[in-house]
Amino acid sequence: MTDVAALVAVLTARGETVAVAESLTGGLVVATLVGVPGASAVVRGGVVAYATPVKHTVLGVSADLLAEHGAVDPEVARQMASGVRTALAVDGVPATWGISTTGVAGPDPQDGKPVGTVFVGIASASRAEAYELHLEGDREAIRQATVSELLARMSATVRSGE
């Protein structure tokens, strides 16, 4: 939790905000962030887009992309992260950062991807990146590892000055 607290502290000091779009993690990322005292200064909120169509209707992920590649795809993670910045805009101002999770926690493969295949996204106004993870364990272990990996990558991105 210390790393998460440090991330929240850096974002607070910079006056930056974060919006979260989650699929397989089902709210664990935003719950982890808001577990830090003072997180209300930076966390805009979260969208749990568990059903694939919600990724399109709420987050603006391309319907063609979802139809062609399914939800477990790096471009889907990028578009989710970008889309949530706008979906959780306040007074027309998007969140500074959007982060996302999409993948297969199991027990069965999805969209032709094996269990443990996960993509996390990090977006700012200037770019959106996706990172592919290959995780092992049961559903809960994969979901928890996804949260840890995403927040570690977000911390590294913020520390590097984007």
Side-chain angles (χ1 to χ4, degrees), residues 30-64:
V30 78
T32 300
L33 286 168
V34 301
V36 175
S40 60
V42 299
V43 178
R44 287 274 179 92
V47 172
V48 177
Y50 200 68
T52 297
V54 175
K55 292 169 180 65
H56 170 67
T57 59
V58 175
L59 299 173
V61 176
S62 163
D64 291 341

Side-chain angles (χ1 to χ4, degrees), residues 3 11 62 69 75 103 123-124 135 143 146 157:
D3 291 338
L11 293 173
S62 163
H69 296 282
E75 184 58 24
S124 65
L135 305 171
R143 293 171 71 227
T146 299
T157 299

Side-chain angles (χ1 to χ4, degrees), residues 19-31:
V20 185
E22 302 185 63
S23 186
L24 80 151
T25 48
L28 289 174
V29 174
V30 78

